[in-house]
Amino acid sequence: MSFLYEYLLQLTWQHVVMWCIGGLLIWLAIKKEMEPTLLLPMGFGAILVNLPFSDAAAIGGPLHTLYNAGIANELFPLILFIGIGAMIDFGPLLTNPKLMIFGAAAQFGIFFTLCLASVFFPNINDAASIAVIGAADGPTSIVVAQTLMSDYVGPIMVAAYSYMALVPIIQPPIIKLLTTKKERMIRMPYEAKEVSKATRILFPIVITVIAGLIAPKSVSLIGFLMFGNLIRECGVLDSLSETAQKALANLVTIFLGITIAFQMQADKFLQPETLLILGLGLFAFIFDTAGGVLFAKFLNLFVKKKVNPMIGAAGISAFPMAGRTVHKMGQEEDPQNFLLMHSIGVNVSGQIASVIAGGLILSFFM
Amino acid sequence: MYFEPMNFINNLSYMGLGMLGIFVVIGLIAGVTILLNNATAKIAKKRRK
């Protein structure tokens, strides 16, 4: 009869804590609808790998096999990027390419957090991997953390995806702290301009070449993203575009979410460093927001046609939440102020800038 | 627990280089995009004529 309870006796409080964390992620996914495509598989996976002697978590088991097949070699996040690229419409950005500069400014939090994380983590690769939480981009965070062989991939992933979903909560207080009501009410009229098909097709190719020549370590990230976009924009691969946006993205997301949980085993996850990583990740998001807003305010000192500084905050890569959050805040101050096209344009530029930032981080430390 | 505040100062160069790098690359991409927009608009205008 001992076979009925011998494994039960191996249960520790750490396992139970991880079940609670898994349960929390599932609750956030279902009840609060926070990034459900990833938080739910991660939450369930956390429970799977924290059952004593779980064969799901064993070396050679299914999660370990999937981990080696798609996460250890960064393949799953790169394939997911094809889907993400196919989903993105760069139109609002192409009508006003100057908005890209705000996407660049909003990556400040990554590099500032790198400096801060190095105070607490002796291995600079770990500090850099933690800093890339500020990229607000799951695939980039995974690729950088894996490539730099960080020991903290699990907490980094949980932080990255959780904070991406919390952008509508994290950003508004920071934006309000750094701007006046008058600034938040600045209107930015949108002039719809047609973007030629040739531009839409050449854009992903040109970006890949430029980013690749300057930061070759970013070619995988930016290349797969832009490949997805090219499939969308070429106009002759509608079925591939639809597959990339739906079936491919969903399939890889399922595998990615549950496989990341392989790094959420209690002995790896329940370390004091995990709380520190969660704190540093939040710090990165805060300073990304601050960097974008303050840059916009700085720019307003020199330009005649003022920009609403809130759009700087949309440069964080969490698409489309950051863009929508800024638009909503603008509407709260002035219901006639439509910032959406500008904020979405800045938001997609942040997607590009975050990938380049990831590539630069890899260039520094590889 | 590891705590070395001087590392913050020592690694500020990465912040400087990183932000400079991002602005250079993004600036280049924005500039090329503006050129692309202008070039394709001119071609489209010629075709209409």
Side-chain angles (χ1 to χ4, degrees), chain A residues 111-138:
Chain A
F111 298 101
F112 194 70
T113 304
L114 167 63
C115 298
L116 187 64
S118 66
V119 171
F120 301 101
F121 291 87
N123 186 339
I124 193 71
N125 284 6
D126 287 330
S129 302
I130 291 162
V132 178
I133 294 171
D137 180 47

PDB file of all heavy atoms in Angstrom, chain A residues 111-138:
ATOM      1  N   PHE A 111      18.677  49.643 -20.627  1.00  0.00           N
ATOM      2  CA  PHE A 111      20.095  49.902 -20.354  1.00  0.00           C
ATOM      3  C   PHE A 111      20.312  50.442 -18.942  1.00  0.00           C
ATOM      4  O   PHE A 111      21.326  50.138 -18.311  1.00  0.00           O
ATOM      5  CB  PHE A 111      20.669  50.835 -21.424  1.00  0.00           C
ATOM      6  CG  PHE A 111      20.603  50.227 -22.796  1.00  0.00           C
ATOM      7  CD1 PHE A 111      19.619  50.589 -23.687  1.00  0.00           C
ATOM      8  CD2 PHE A 111      21.517  49.255 -23.183  1.00  0.00           C
ATOM      9  CE1 PHE A 111      19.528  49.999 -24.948  1.00  0.00           C
ATOM     10  CE2 PHE A 111      21.440  48.655 -24.432  1.00  0.00           C
ATOM     11  CZ  PHE A 111      20.447  49.034 -25.311  1.00  0.00           C
ATOM     12  N   PHE A 112      19.338  51.205 -18.453  1.00  0.00           N
ATOM     13  CA  PHE A 112      19.451  51.698 -17.079  1.00  0.00           C
ATOM     14  C   PHE A 112      19.356  50.523 -16.102  1.00  0.00           C
ATOM     15  O   PHE A 112      20.102  50.444 -15.116  1.00  0.00           O
ATOM     16  CB  PHE A 112      18.341  52.725 -16.817  1.00  0.00           C
ATOM     17  CG  PHE A 112      18.542  53.533 -15.579  1.00  0.00           C
ATOM     18  CD1 PHE A 112      19.558  54.471 -15.513  1.00  0.00           C
ATOM     19  CD2 PHE A 112      17.730  53.365 -14.471  1.00  0.00           C
ATOM     20  CE1 PHE A 112      19.763  55.219 -14.367  1.00  0.00           C
ATOM     21  CE2 PHE A 112      17.922  54.105 -13.321  1.00  0.00           C
ATOM     22  CZ  PHE A 112      18.939  55.033 -13.268  1.00  0.00           C
ATOM     23  N   THR A 113      18.444  49.601 -16.396  1.00  0.00           N
ATOM     24  CA  THR A 113      18.277  48.429 -15.528  1.00  0.00           C
ATOM     25  C   THR A 113      19.496  47.523 -15.600  1.00  0.00           C
ATOM     26  O   THR A 113      19.840  46.858 -14.623  1.00  0.00           O
ATOM     27  CB  THR A 113      17.012  47.649 -15.911  1.00  0.00           C
ATOM     28  OG1 THR A 113      15.890  48.535 -15.863  1.00  0.00           O
ATOM     29  CG2 THR A 113      16.758  46.471 -14.990  1.00  0.00           C
ATOM     30  N   LEU A 114      20.163  47.494 -16.745  1.00  0.00           N
ATOM     31  CA  LEU A 114      21.400  46.725 -16.863  1.00  0.00           C
ATOM     32  C   LEU A 114      22.406  47.203 -15.819  1.00  0.00           C
ATOM     33  O   LEU A 114      23.018  46.403 -15.105  1.00  0.00           O
ATOM     34  CB  LEU A 114      21.970  46.882 -18.284  1.00  0.00           C
ATOM     35  CG  LEU A 114      23.391  46.409 -18.529  1.00  0.00           C
ATOM     36  CD1 LEU A 114      23.521  44.922 -18.305  1.00  0.00           C
ATOM     37  CD2 LEU A 114      23.843  46.746 -19.946  1.00  0.00           C
ATOM     38  N   CYS A 115      22.557  48.527 -15.715  1.00  0.00           N
ATOM     39  CA  CYS A 115      23.492  49.096 -14.735  1.00  0.00           C
ATOM     40  C   CYS A 115      23.050  48.745 -13.315  1.00  0.00           C
ATOM     41  O   CYS A 115      23.870  48.368 -12.473  1.00  0.00           O
ATOM     42  CB  CYS A 115      23.562  50.616 -14.883  1.00  0.00           C
ATOM     43  SG  CYS A 115      24.159  51.145 -16.487  1.00  0.00           S
ATOM     44  N   LEU A 116      21.754  48.860 -13.062  1.00  0.00           N
ATOM     45  CA  LEU A 116      21.248  48.593 -11.707  1.00  0.00           C
ATOM     46  C   LEU A 116      21.341  47.113 -11.360  1.00  0.00           C
ATOM     47  O   LEU A 116      21.725  46.740 -10.248  1.00  0.00           O
ATOM     48  CB  LEU A 116      19.797  49.073 -11.612  1.00  0.00           C
ATOM     49  CG  LEU A 116      19.177  49.017 -10.217  1.00  0.00           C
ATOM     50  CD1 LEU A 116      19.908  49.969  -9.284  1.00  0.00           C
ATOM     51  CD2 LEU A 116      17.695  49.404 -10.280  1.00  0.00           C
ATOM     52  N   ALA A 117      21.000  46.250 -12.322  1.00  0.00           N
ATOM     53  CA  ALA A 117      21.028  44.806 -12.054  1.00  0.00           C
ATOM     54  C   ALA A 117      22.446  44.330 -11.773  1.00  0.00           C
ATOM     55  O   ALA A 117      22.654  43.387 -10.999  1.00  0.00           O
ATOM     56  CB  ALA A 117      20.426  44.038 -13.231  1.00  0.00           C
ATOM     57  N   SER A 118      23.433  44.990 -12.383  1.00  0.00           N
ATOM     58  CA  SER A 118      24.823  44.569 -12.181  1.00  0.00           C
ATOM     59  C   SER A 118      25.283  44.810 -10.745  1.00  0.00           C
ATOM     60  O   SER A 118      26.278  44.240 -10.311  1.00  0.00           O
ATOM     61  CB  SER A 118      25.752  45.288 -13.160  1.00  0.00           C
ATOM     62  OG  SER A 118      25.780  46.667 -12.880  1.00  0.00           O
ATOM     63  N   VAL A 119      24.531  45.643 -10.005  1.00  0.00           N
ATOM     64  CA  VAL A 119      24.848  45.881  -8.589  1.00  0.00           C
ATOM     65  C   VAL A 119      24.537  44.629  -7.764  1.00  0.00           C
ATOM     66  O   VAL A 119      25.199  44.339  -6.763  1.00  0.00           O
ATOM     67  CB  VAL A 119      24.034  47.089  -8.061  1.00  0.00           C
ATOM     68  CG1 VAL A 119      24.158  47.229  -6.555  1.00  0.00           C
ATOM     69  CG2 VAL A 119      24.465  48.365  -8.769  1.00  0.00           C
ATOM     70  N   PHE A 120      23.527  43.875  -8.226  1.00  0.00           N
ATOM     71  CA  PHE A 120      23.043  42.734  -7.442  1.00  0.00           C
ATOM     72  C   PHE A 120      23.434  41.378  -8.016  1.00  0.00           C
ATOM     73  O   PHE A 120      23.299  40.356  -7.341  1.00  0.00           O
ATOM     74  CB  PHE A 120      21.505  42.793  -7.338  1.00  0.00           C
ATOM     75  CG  PHE A 120      21.000  44.050  -6.685  1.00  0.00           C
ATOM     76  CD1 PHE A 120      20.500  45.088  -7.447  1.00  0.00           C
ATOM     77  CD2 PHE A 120      21.053  44.205  -5.308  1.00  0.00           C
ATOM     78  CE1 PHE A 120      20.045  46.260  -6.858  1.00  0.00           C
ATOM     79  CE2 PHE A 120      20.596  45.364  -4.711  1.00  0.00           C
ATOM     80  CZ  PHE A 120      20.098  46.396  -5.483  1.00  0.00           C
ATOM     81  N   PHE A 121      23.857  41.343  -9.272  1.00  0.00           N
ATOM     82  CA  PHE A 121      24.194  40.072  -9.914  1.00  0.00           C
ATOM     83  C   PHE A 121      25.633  40.142 -10.412  1.00  0.00           C
ATOM     84  O   PHE A 121      25.947  40.958 -11.288  1.00  0.00           O
ATOM     85  CB  PHE A 121      23.228  39.777 -11.070  1.00  0.00           C
ATOM     86  CG  PHE A 121      21.830  39.462 -10.611  1.00  0.00           C
ATOM     87  CD1 PHE A 121      20.917  40.480 -10.397  1.00  0.00           C
ATOM     88  CD2 PHE A 121      21.445  38.157 -10.369  1.00  0.00           C
ATOM     89  CE1 PHE A 121      19.628  40.199  -9.952  1.00  0.00           C
ATOM     90  CE2 PHE A 121      20.166  37.860  -9.927  1.00  0.00           C
ATOM     91  CZ  PHE A 121      19.256  38.889  -9.717  1.00  0.00           C
ATOM     92  N   PRO A 122      26.503  39.291  -9.885  1.00  0.00           N
ATOM     93  CA  PRO A 122      27.915  39.379 -10.271  1.00  0.00           C
ATOM     94  C   PRO A 122      28.164  39.033 -11.734  1.00  0.00           C
ATOM     95  O   PRO A 122      29.089  39.563 -12.353  1.00  0.00           O
ATOM     96  CB  PRO A 122      28.600  38.349  -9.346  1.00  0.00           C
ATOM     97  CG  PRO A 122      27.503  37.433  -8.898  1.00  0.00           C
ATOM     98  CD  PRO A 122      26.243  38.212  -8.913  1.00  0.00           C
ATOM     99  N   ASN A 123      27.319  38.165 -12.292  1.00  0.00           N
ATOM    100  CA  ASN A 123      27.491  37.764 -13.680  1.00  0.00           C
ATOM    101  C   ASN A 123      26.777  38.780 -14.574  1.00  0.00           C
ATOM    102  O   ASN A 123      25.556  38.913 -14.524  1.00  0.00           O
ATOM    103  CB  ASN A 123      26.889  36.360 -13.885  1.00  0.00           C
ATOM    104  CG  ASN A 123      27.161  35.812 -15.271  1.00  0.00           C
ATOM    105  OD1 ASN A 123      27.438  36.566 -16.207  1.00  0.00           O
ATOM    106  ND2 ASN A 123      27.087  34.497 -15.404  1.00  0.00           N
ATOM    107  N   ILE A 124      27.537  39.491 -15.396  1.00  0.00           N
ATOM    108  CA  ILE A 124      26.958  40.559 -16.220  1.00  0.00           C
ATOM    109  C   ILE A 124      25.934  40.000 -17.211  1.00  0.00           C
ATOM    110  O   ILE A 124      24.978  40.694 -17.600  1.00  0.00           O
ATOM    111  CB  ILE A 124      28.064  41.379 -16.939  1.00  0.00           C
ATOM    112  CG1 ILE A 124      27.504  42.671 -17.535  1.00  0.00           C
ATOM    113  CG2 ILE A 124      28.751  40.551 -18.012  1.00  0.00           C
ATOM    114  CD1 ILE A 124      27.127  43.711 -16.515  1.00  0.00           C
ATOM    115  N   ASN A 125      26.113  38.731 -17.616  1.00  0.00           N
ATOM    116  CA  ASN A 125      25.142  38.127 -18.533  1.00  0.00           C
ATOM    117  C   ASN A 125      23.771  37.991 -17.872  1.00  0.00           C
ATOM    118  O   ASN A 125      22.735  38.162 -18.521  1.00  0.00           O
ATOM    119  CB  ASN A 125      25.622  36.745 -18.997  1.00  0.00           C
ATOM    120  CG  ASN A 125      26.718  36.844 -20.039  1.00  0.00           C
ATOM    121  OD1 ASN A 125      27.198  37.935 -20.345  1.00  0.00           O
ATOM    122  ND2 ASN A 125      27.133  35.706 -20.588  1.00  0.00           N
ATOM    123  N   ASP A 126      23.772  37.675 -16.585  1.00  0.00           N
ATOM    124  CA  ASP A 126      22.496  37.608 -15.865  1.00  0.00           C
ATOM    125  C   ASP A 126      21.865  38.996 -15.783  1.00  0.00           C
ATOM    126  O   ASP A 126      20.669  39.166 -15.992  1.00  0.00           O
ATOM    127  CB  ASP A 126      22.681  37.040 -14.455  1.00  0.00           C
ATOM    128  CG  ASP A 126      22.944  35.544 -14.458  1.00  0.00           C
ATOM    129  OD1 ASP A 126      22.454  34.851 -15.365  1.00  0.00           O
ATOM    130  OD2 ASP A 126      23.654  35.080 -13.540  1.00  0.00           O
ATOM    131  N   ALA A 127      22.705  40.000 -15.459  1.00  0.00           N
ATOM    132  CA  ALA A 127      22.207  41.378 -15.358  1.00  0.00           C
ATOM    133  C   ALA A 127      21.613  41.826 -16.697  1.00  0.00           C
ATOM    134  O   ALA A 127      20.549  42.451 -16.747  1.00  0.00           O
ATOM    135  CB  ALA A 127      23.323  42.320 -14.924  1.00  0.00           C
ATOM    136  N   ALA A 128      22.299  41.496 -17.781  1.00  0.00           N
ATOM    137  CA  ALA A 128      21.832  41.888 -19.113  1.00  0.00           C
ATOM    138  C   ALA A 128      20.519  41.178 -19.465  1.00  0.00           C
ATOM    139  O   ALA A 128      19.603  41.783 -20.028  1.00  0.00           O
ATOM    140  CB  ALA A 128      22.896  41.561 -20.161  1.00  0.00           C
ATOM    141  N   SER A 129      20.439  39.898 -19.120  1.00  0.00           N
ATOM    142  CA  SER A 129      19.210  39.128 -19.413  1.00  0.00           C
ATOM    143  C   SER A 129      18.027  39.697 -18.644  1.00  0.00           C
ATOM    144  O   SER A 129      16.922  39.785 -19.156  1.00  0.00           O
ATOM    145  CB  SER A 129      19.406  37.655 -19.053  1.00  0.00           C
ATOM    146  OG  SER A 129      20.498  37.118 -19.751  1.00  0.00           O
ATOM    147  N   ILE A 130      18.281  40.084 -17.396  1.00  0.00           N
ATOM    148  CA  ILE A 130      17.203  40.668 -16.571  1.00  0.00           C
ATOM    149  C   ILE A 130      16.788  42.014 -17.154  1.00  0.00           C
ATOM    150  O   ILE A 130      15.609  42.345 -17.217  1.00  0.00           O
ATOM    151  CB  ILE A 130      17.680  40.823 -15.113  1.00  0.00           C
ATOM    152  CG1 ILE A 130      17.842  39.435 -14.481  1.00  0.00           C
ATOM    153  CG2 ILE A 130      16.707  41.663 -14.296  1.00  0.00           C
ATOM    154  CD1 ILE A 130      18.691  39.430 -13.231  1.00  0.00           C
ATOM    155  N   ALA A 131      17.779  42.799 -17.605  1.00  0.00           N
ATOM    156  CA  ALA A 131      17.488  44.124 -18.156  1.00  0.00           C
ATOM    157  C   ALA A 131      16.571  44.033 -19.373  1.00  0.00           C
ATOM    158  O   ALA A 131      15.737  44.909 -19.602  1.00  0.00           O
ATOM    159  CB  ALA A 131      18.788  44.830 -18.541  1.00  0.00           C
ATOM    160  N   VAL A 132      16.696  42.966 -20.140  1.00  0.00           N
ATOM    161  CA  VAL A 132      15.914  42.824 -21.371  1.00  0.00           C
ATOM    162  C   VAL A 132      14.436  42.532 -21.078  1.00  0.00           C
ATOM    163  O   VAL A 132      13.604  42.555 -21.980  1.00  0.00           O
ATOM    164  CB  VAL A 132      16.544  41.764 -22.312  1.00  0.00           C
ATOM    165  CG1 VAL A 132      15.735  41.571 -23.573  1.00  0.00           C
ATOM    166  CG2 VAL A 132      17.932  42.212 -22.706  1.00  0.00           C
ATOM    167  N   ILE A 133      14.095  42.337 -19.806  1.00  0.00           N
ATOM    168  CA  ILE A 133      12.662  42.304 -19.462  1.00  0.00           C
ATOM    169  C   ILE A 133      12.038  43.612 -19.926  1.00  0.00           C
ATOM    170  O   ILE A 133      10.893  43.659 -20.359  1.00  0.00           O
ATOM    171  CB  ILE A 133      12.459  42.126 -17.940  1.00  0.00           C
ATOM    172  CG1 ILE A 133      12.959  40.746 -17.495  1.00  0.00           C
ATOM    173  CG2 ILE A 133      10.976  42.271 -17.571  1.00  0.00           C
ATOM    174  CD1 ILE A 133      12.993  40.566 -15.983  1.00  0.00           C
ATOM    175  N   GLY A 134      12.828  44.698 -19.826  1.00  0.00           N
ATOM    176  CA  GLY A 134      12.344  46.009 -20.244  1.00  0.00           C
ATOM    177  C   GLY A 134      12.047  46.107 -21.728  1.00  0.00           C
ATOM    178  O   GLY A 134      11.411  47.077 -22.155  1.00  0.00           O
ATOM    179  N   ALA A 135      12.475  45.133 -22.515  1.00  0.00           N
ATOM    180  CA  ALA A 135      12.117  45.141 -23.932  1.00  0.00           C
ATOM    181  C   ALA A 135      10.612  44.911 -24.108  1.00  0.00           C
ATOM    182  O   ALA A 135      10.061  45.150 -25.173  1.00  0.00           O
ATOM    183  CB  ALA A 135      12.896  44.056 -24.684  1.00  0.00           C
ATOM    184  N   ALA A 136       9.961  44.444 -23.038  1.00  0.00           N
ATOM    185  CA  ALA A 136       8.512  44.183 -23.060  1.00  0.00           C
ATOM    186  C   ALA A 136       8.152  43.288 -24.231  1.00  0.00           C
ATOM    187  O   ALA A 136       7.125  43.472 -24.893  1.00  0.00           O
ATOM    188  CB  ALA A 136       7.723  45.497 -23.132  1.00  0.00           C
ATOM    189  N   ASP A 137       9.017  42.325 -24.485  1.00  0.00           N
ATOM    190  CA  ASP A 137       8.827  41.460 -25.631  1.00  0.00           C
ATOM    191  C   ASP A 137       9.299  40.066 -25.252  1.00  0.00           C
ATOM    192  O   ASP A 137      10.478  39.848 -25.025  1.00  0.00           O
ATOM    193  CB  ASP A 137       9.635  42.032 -26.813  1.00  0.00           C
ATOM    194  CG  ASP A 137       9.481  41.191 -28.037  1.00  0.00           C
ATOM    195  OD1 ASP A 137       8.335  40.843 -28.367  1.00  0.00           O
ATOM    196  OD2 ASP A 137      10.497  40.863 -28.668  1.00  0.00           O
ATOM    197  N   GLY A 138       8.341  39.149 -25.160  1.00  0.00           N
ATOM    198  CA  GLY A 138       8.657  37.803 -24.691  1.00  0.00           C
ATOM    199  C   GLY A 138       9.725  37.099 -25.499  1.00  0.00           C
ATOM    200  O   GLY A 138      10.719  36.633 -24.934  1.00  0.00           O
TER     201      GLY A 138
END
